[in-house]
Amino acid sequence: MKFKIGAEWWDAFFKMLSIVLVPLTVAGMGWYWTRWQQNVNDLKSMIDLVTDKSPEKQKYGIAMFEYLAKNGKVPVEFLSAQIDYATTAENHELLPMLEVAIQAAAKENSDVAEAYRVALERRPARVFIHVPNDDVYGCLVRLREAFKDADKAAVRFPAVRKYQGYANSNQELRFFHAEDEQRAKQIATLFRTLGLELSVKDISRTSWARTNAPNSYELWFNGNPLPRICQQAASG
């Protein structure tokens, strides 16, 4: 037995379907807009906290950043921008806190780990300076200023750490990831052409190396002897 469905039936069917779908579509768009607006507000709140002058508010901002990143609510572009800001922030503890948060989020969200790797590869190399005093740090800054413009833009000194005692004999550039070895040698060569000899040390096999970000290095320099360009500046 065959049933024939007439045009009037089809017309009634589509009218009923539209009556059902239109409210659902409107409700879906409203839900999507509300969620999108909430995500935007969360990102704005996080940025306001991270960029606040108060270190305590910055801590809350970093905690919020970690939560949002774990849940896939931080776009890749924001990740890179946050690293840029923290690198030059007045609070030198902001960058380490941000990196800890990123690494914690990356354990639960693989997209964060990949975005972090790509962001750091595209950014200038970060060389963390370890020196015994401000004068020696000033020498390293002077050496970096003597680089060619392209090389200067490709190397940053995000933080300086002062040390005394056991480390005074070290004069080396350390890298934490095997894939960064070539870049470490290039950086050491830049300093060598200006009179600072640095050995390149591979510590990628240590148990804690992976806690350090890719494309990050440590420069240990005791200032003995100072390169000629620094001696001239000191005597002048």
Side-chain angles (χ1 to χ4, degrees), residues 176-196:
F176 306 98
H177 301 267
E179 56 269 25
D180 290 332
E181 180 176 6
Q182 189 59 36
R183 182 65 179 131
K185 291 179 178 178
Q186 292 172 353
I187 295 171
T189 298
L190 291 176
F191 284 103
R192 187 177 302 115
T193 58
L194 295 173
L196 175 59

Side-chain angles (χ1 to χ4, degrees), residues 21-221:
L21 289 181
V22 169
L24 289 176
T25 302
V26 172
M29 291 178 64
W31 176 84
Y32 175 82
W33 171 258
T34 301
R35 289 293 301 272
W36 179 84
Q37 189 64 42
Q38 183 61 51
N39 289 343
V40 171
N41 290 338
D42 287 344
L43 287 172
K44 183 179 184 302
S45 298
M46 180 266 292
I47 293 171
D48 289 342
L49 287 170
V50 170
T51 57
D52 194 275
K53 295 297 183 181
S54 167
E56 291 303 316
K57 288 186 178 180
Q58 289 178 347
K59 289 180 181 179
Y60 282 111
I62 293 297
M64 188 173 184
F65 171 89
E66 180 178 336
Y67 170 78
L68 294 174
K70 284 180 179 179
N71 291 278
K73 296 181 179 181
V74 178
V76 175
E77 295 78 10
F78 274 73
L79 191 72
S80 182
Q82 290 292 80
I83 295 172
D84 279 333
Y85 176 79
T87 299
T88 57
E90 183 177 341
N91 180 7
H92 290 167
E93 296 303 315
L94 186 60
L95 180 61
M97 288 192 300
L98 177 65
E99 291 188 328
V100 170
I102 292 174
Q103 291 166 2
K107 292 178 181 179
E108 297 188 23
N109 188 338
S110 59
D111 290 340
V112 175
E114 179 62 15
Y116 186 39
R117 183 189 66 78
V118 172
L120 291 179
E121 284 181 351
R122 293 175 179 174
R123 297 184 69 258
R126 297 179 303 165
V127 180
F128 293 86
I129 303 300
H130 294 71
V131 291
N133 54 58
D134 290 335
D135 290 338
V136 175
Y137 176 68
C139 174
L140 291 175
V141 172
R142 196 170 295 114
L143 290 173
R144 179 183 172 277
E145 290 300 312
F147 290 170
K148 295 179 180 179
D149 288 343
D151 294 328
K152 188 191 305 181
V155 178
R156 289 184 180 176
F157 294 170
V160 56
R161 298 183 176 99
K162 297 177 185 177
Y163 66 85
Q164 294 291 346
Y166 76 95
N168 283 350
S169 61
N170 292 339
Q171 193 136 303
E172 60 196 22
L173 186 72
R174 303 175 178 179
F175 64 93
F176 306 98
H177 301 267
E179 56 269 25
D180 290 332
E181 180 176 6
Q182 189 59 36
R183 182 65 179 131
K185 291 179 178 178
Q186 292 172 353
I187 295 171
T189 298
L190 291 176
F191 284 103
R192 187 177 302 115
T193 58
L194 295 173
L196 175 59
E197 291 291 335
L198 293 171
S199 62
V200 176
K201 187 172 182 178
D202 179 1
I203 56 174
S204 62
R205 295 180 179 84
T206 60
S207 59
W208 47 268
R210 285 288 161 183
T211 62
N212 291 273
N215 201 24
S216 298
Y217 311 86
E218 286 185 352
L219 195 162
W220 293 73
F221 179 44

